[in-house]
Short mmCIF file of all heavy atoms in Angstrom, two decimals:
data_model
loop_
_atom_site.label_atom_id
_atom_site.label_comp_id
_atom_site.label_asym_id
_atom_site.label_seq_id
_atom_site.Cartn_x
_atom_site.Cartn_y
_atom_site.Cartn_z
N PRO A 5 -62.19 46.82 14.87
CA PRO A 5 -62.51 45.60 15.60
C PRO A 5 -61.96 44.32 14.87
O PRO A 5 -61.93 43.33 15.40
CB PRO A 5 -64.03 45.61 15.54
CG PRO A 5 -64.45 46.45 14.36
CD PRO A 5 -63.32 47.59 14.31
N VAL A 6 -61.43 44.62 13.68
CA VAL A 6 -60.80 43.46 12.96
C VAL A 6 -59.37 43.10 13.47
O VAL A 6 -58.94 42.06 13.39
CB VAL A 6 -60.74 43.70 11.34
CG1 VAL A 6 -60.16 42.54 10.65
CG2 VAL A 6 -62.15 43.96 10.99
N PHE A 7 -58.79 44.14 14.01
CA PHE A 7 -57.36 44.08 14.42
C PHE A 7 -57.07 42.84 15.28
O PHE A 7 -56.15 42.12 15.01
CB PHE A 7 -56.85 45.34 14.99
CG PHE A 7 -55.39 45.40 15.32
CD1 PHE A 7 -54.46 45.47 14.29
CD2 PHE A 7 -55.06 45.22 16.61
CE1 PHE A 7 -53.15 45.39 14.65
CE2 PHE A 7 -53.72 45.11 16.92
CZ PHE A 7 -52.66 45.31 15.96
N PRO A 8 -57.79 42.73 16.41
CA PRO A 8 -57.32 41.55 17.34
C PRO A 8 -57.44 40.17 16.56
O PRO A 8 -56.71 39.29 16.76
CB PRO A 8 -58.50 41.58 18.40
CG PRO A 8 -58.92 43.05 18.41
CD PRO A 8 -58.86 43.46 16.99
N TRP A 9 -58.43 39.96 15.63
CA TRP A 9 -58.50 38.71 14.90
C TRP A 9 -57.27 38.55 13.98
O TRP A 9 -56.75 37.42 13.80
CB TRP A 9 -59.80 38.71 14.09
CG TRP A 9 -60.96 38.68 15.04
CD1 TRP A 9 -61.93 39.66 15.24
CD2 TRP A 9 -61.53 37.45 15.84
NE1 TRP A 9 -62.81 39.35 16.22
CE2 TRP A 9 -62.59 38.02 16.53
CE3 TRP A 9 -61.01 36.31 15.87
CZ2 TRP A 9 -63.33 37.20 17.33
CZ3 TRP A 9 -61.75 35.39 16.72
CH2 TRP A 9 -62.87 35.88 17.46
N LEU A 10 -56.94 39.71 13.30
CA LEU A 10 -55.78 39.72 12.37
C LEU A 10 -54.52 39.37 13.09
O LEU A 10 -53.72 38.52 12.66
CB LEU A 10 -55.66 41.06 11.73
CG LEU A 10 -54.48 41.15 10.70
CD1 LEU A 10 -54.66 40.15 9.53
CD2 LEU A 10 -54.43 42.58 10.15
N LEU A 11 -54.30 39.91 14.32
CA LEU A 11 -53.09 39.75 15.14
C LEU A 11 -53.05 38.22 15.57
O LEU A 11 -52.02 37.52 15.47
CB LEU A 11 -53.11 40.59 16.42
CG LEU A 11 -51.98 40.45 17.33
CD1 LEU A 11 -50.71 40.74 16.52
CD2 LEU A 11 -52.14 41.30 18.50
N ALA A 12 -54.18 37.65 15.96
CA ALA A 12 -54.30 36.25 16.38
C ALA A 12 -53.89 35.42 15.25
O ALA A 12 -53.21 34.29 15.36
CB ALA A 12 -55.60 35.97 16.92
N GLY A 13 -54.35 35.65 14.06
CA GLY A 13 -54.00 34.87 12.87
C GLY A 13 -52.60 34.77 12.50
O GLY A 13 -52.03 33.79 12.26
N ILE A 14 -51.91 35.98 12.67
CA ILE A 14 -50.54 36.06 12.38
C ILE A 14 -49.69 35.32 13.39
O ILE A 14 -48.79 34.50 12.97
CB ILE A 14 -50.00 37.52 12.45
CG1 ILE A 14 -50.72 38.37 11.30
CG2 ILE A 14 -48.48 37.63 12.43
CD1 ILE A 14 -50.43 39.78 11.30
N VAL A 15 -50.10 35.40 14.74
CA VAL A 15 -49.41 34.63 15.75
C VAL A 15 -49.55 33.10 15.46
O VAL A 15 -48.64 32.33 15.65
CB VAL A 15 -49.96 35.01 17.16
CG1 VAL A 15 -49.36 34.05 18.17
CG2 VAL A 15 -49.49 36.40 17.46
N GLY A 16 -50.69 32.63 15.11
CA GLY A 16 -50.97 31.23 14.82
C GLY A 16 -50.13 30.70 13.74
O GLY A 16 -49.56 29.62 13.80
N VAL A 17 -49.99 31.48 12.70
CA VAL A 17 -49.20 30.99 11.44
C VAL A 17 -47.72 30.88 11.95
O VAL A 17 -47.01 30.03 11.57
CB VAL A 17 -49.27 32.02 10.30
CG1 VAL A 17 -48.25 31.75 9.26
CG2 VAL A 17 -50.68 31.93 9.80
N ALA A 18 -47.21 31.89 12.74
CA ALA A 18 -45.80 31.89 13.23
C ALA A 18 -45.53 30.70 14.09
O ALA A 18 -44.45 30.07 13.90
CB ALA A 18 -45.54 33.23 13.98
N LEU A 19 -46.46 30.23 14.95
CA LEU A 19 -46.28 29.14 15.74
C LEU A 19 -46.23 27.81 14.93
O LEU A 19 -45.53 26.88 15.32
CB LEU A 19 -47.26 29.10 16.83
CG LEU A 19 -47.29 30.12 17.98
CD1 LEU A 19 -48.49 30.05 18.88
CD2 LEU A 19 -45.95 30.11 18.65
N ALA A 20 -47.02 27.78 13.90
CA ALA A 20 -47.15 26.52 13.11
C ALA A 20 -45.89 26.34 12.14
O ALA A 20 -45.66 25.32 11.74
CB ALA A 20 -48.39 26.50 12.32
N ALA A 21 -45.15 27.43 11.84
CA ALA A 21 -44.12 27.40 10.80
C ALA A 21 -43.05 26.41 11.05
O ALA A 21 -42.69 25.65 10.29
CB ALA A 21 -43.56 28.80 10.65
N PRO A 22 -42.48 26.31 12.30
CA PRO A 22 -41.37 25.38 12.56
C PRO A 22 -41.70 23.92 12.29
O PRO A 22 -40.97 23.14 11.70
CB PRO A 22 -40.99 25.54 14.04
CG PRO A 22 -41.39 26.93 14.32
CD PRO A 22 -42.68 27.12 13.52
N SER A 23 -42.94 23.49 12.64
CA SER A 23 -43.34 22.07 12.30
C SER A 23 -43.42 21.79 10.90
O SER A 23 -42.96 20.77 10.40
CB SER A 23 -44.74 21.85 12.97
OG SER A 23 -45.28 20.61 12.67
N GLY A 24 -43.92 22.68 10.09
CA GLY A 24 -43.99 22.53 8.71
C GLY A 24 -42.65 22.41 8.03
O GLY A 24 -42.40 21.59 7.15
N CYS A 25 -41.64 23.19 8.50
CA CYS A 25 -40.31 23.16 7.88
C CYS A 25 -39.65 21.88 8.27
O CYS A 25 -38.94 21.30 7.39
CB CYS A 25 -39.48 24.38 8.49
SG CYS A 25 -39.99 26.01 7.83
N HIS A 26 -39.92 21.34 9.45
CA HIS A 26 -39.28 20.10 9.84
C HIS A 26 -39.77 18.93 9.04
O HIS A 26 -38.96 18.08 8.56
CB HIS A 26 -39.55 19.76 11.35
CG HIS A 26 -39.01 18.45 11.88
ND1 HIS A 26 -37.69 18.27 12.09
CD2 HIS A 26 -39.78 17.35 12.16
CE1 HIS A 26 -37.58 17.06 12.44
NE2 HIS A 26 -38.74 16.43 12.50
N GLN A 27 -41.03 18.87 8.77
CA GLN A 27 -41.59 17.81 7.87
C GLN A 27 -41.04 17.90 6.49
O GLN A 27 -40.63 16.90 5.84
CB GLN A 27 -43.14 17.93 7.82
CG GLN A 27 -43.72 17.67 9.15
CD GLN A 27 -45.18 17.94 9.20
OE1 GLN A 27 -45.78 18.38 8.16
NE2 GLN A 27 -45.87 17.57 10.24
N GLN A 28 -40.92 19.06 6.00
CA GLN A 28 -40.29 19.28 4.60
C GLN A 28 -38.86 18.72 4.57
O GLN A 28 -38.40 18.01 3.66
CB GLN A 28 -40.38 20.69 4.17
CG GLN A 28 -39.95 20.94 2.75
CD GLN A 28 -40.16 22.36 2.24
OE1 GLN A 28 -40.32 23.24 3.08
NE2 GLN A 28 -40.08 22.56 1.07
N GLN A 29 -38.03 19.14 5.60
CA GLN A 29 -36.64 18.62 5.58
C GLN A 29 -36.61 17.05 5.71
O GLN A 29 -35.82 16.46 4.97
CB GLN A 29 -35.89 19.31 6.68
CG GLN A 29 -35.78 20.72 6.58
CD GLN A 29 -35.16 21.43 7.84
OE1 GLN A 29 -35.05 20.77 8.86
NE2 GLN A 29 -34.75 22.68 7.68
N ALA A 30 -37.46 16.52 6.55
CA ALA A 30 -37.42 15.12 6.79
C ALA A 30 -37.73 14.37 5.47
O ALA A 30 -37.15 13.28 5.24
CB ALA A 30 -38.37 14.70 7.89
N SER A 31 -38.69 14.79 4.77
CA SER A 31 -39.04 14.09 3.49
C SER A 31 -37.86 14.13 2.44
O SER A 31 -37.89 13.38 1.56
CB SER A 31 -40.33 14.68 2.85
OG SER A 31 -40.07 16.13 2.55
N ALA A 32 -36.86 15.06 2.61
CA ALA A 32 -35.82 15.14 1.58
C ALA A 32 -34.69 14.24 1.92
O ALA A 32 -33.87 14.00 1.13
CB ALA A 32 -35.38 16.55 1.53
N GLU A 33 -34.72 13.61 3.07
CA GLU A 33 -33.61 12.74 3.44
C GLU A 33 -33.78 11.40 2.81
O GLU A 33 -34.84 11.03 2.48
CB GLU A 33 -33.51 12.60 4.93
CG GLU A 33 -33.17 13.87 5.65
CD GLU A 33 -33.06 13.78 7.19
OE1 GLU A 33 -33.40 12.65 7.62
OE2 GLU A 33 -32.79 14.70 7.86
N PRO A 34 -32.66 10.60 2.66
CA PRO A 34 -32.80 9.26 2.08
C PRO A 34 -33.64 8.34 2.94
O PRO A 34 -33.65 8.48 4.10
CB PRO A 34 -31.34 8.81 2.11
CG PRO A 34 -30.49 10.01 2.21
CD PRO A 34 -31.28 10.96 2.91
N ALA A 35 -34.28 7.47 2.31
CA ALA A 35 -35.26 6.53 2.97
C ALA A 35 -34.33 5.41 3.76
O ALA A 35 -33.51 4.83 3.17
CB ALA A 35 -36.25 5.87 2.02
N VAL A 36 -34.68 5.23 4.99
CA VAL A 36 -34.01 4.18 5.73
C VAL A 36 -34.98 3.18 6.16
O VAL A 36 -36.10 3.66 6.71
CB VAL A 36 -33.30 4.70 7.01
CG1 VAL A 36 -32.77 3.62 7.88
CG2 VAL A 36 -32.19 5.71 6.50
N LEU A 37 -34.94 1.87 5.81
CA LEU A 37 -35.93 0.95 6.11
C LEU A 37 -35.58 0.04 7.21
O LEU A 37 -34.44 -0.22 7.51
CB LEU A 37 -36.09 0.11 4.81
CG LEU A 37 -36.41 0.81 3.57
CD1 LEU A 37 -36.55 -0.17 2.36
CD2 LEU A 37 -37.56 1.73 3.58
N GLU A 38 -36.68 -0.51 7.90
CA GLU A 38 -36.64 -1.48 8.89
C GLU A 38 -35.60 -1.09 10.04
O GLU A 38 -34.76 -1.86 10.49
CB GLU A 38 -36.13 -2.81 8.38
CG GLU A 38 -37.18 -3.35 7.28
CD GLU A 38 -36.64 -4.64 6.75
OE1 GLU A 38 -36.01 -5.45 7.51
OE2 GLU A 38 -36.96 -4.99 5.61
N VAL A 39 -35.78 0.14 10.64
CA VAL A 39 -34.98 0.45 11.76
C VAL A 39 -35.60 -0.15 12.97
O VAL A 39 -36.76 0.02 13.34
CB VAL A 39 -34.99 1.99 11.94
CG1 VAL A 39 -34.15 2.39 13.10
CG2 VAL A 39 -34.41 2.69 10.67
#
Side-chain angles (χ1 to χ4, degrees):
V6 178
F7 181 76
W9 297 101
L10 180 61
L11 180 61
I14 293 171
V15 172
V17 171
L19 291 174
S23 175
C25 290
H26 177 73
Q27 292 173 356
Q28 185 176 14
Q29 290 171 352
S31 64
E33 294 180 355
V36 177
L37 307 181
E38 298 182 32
V39 179

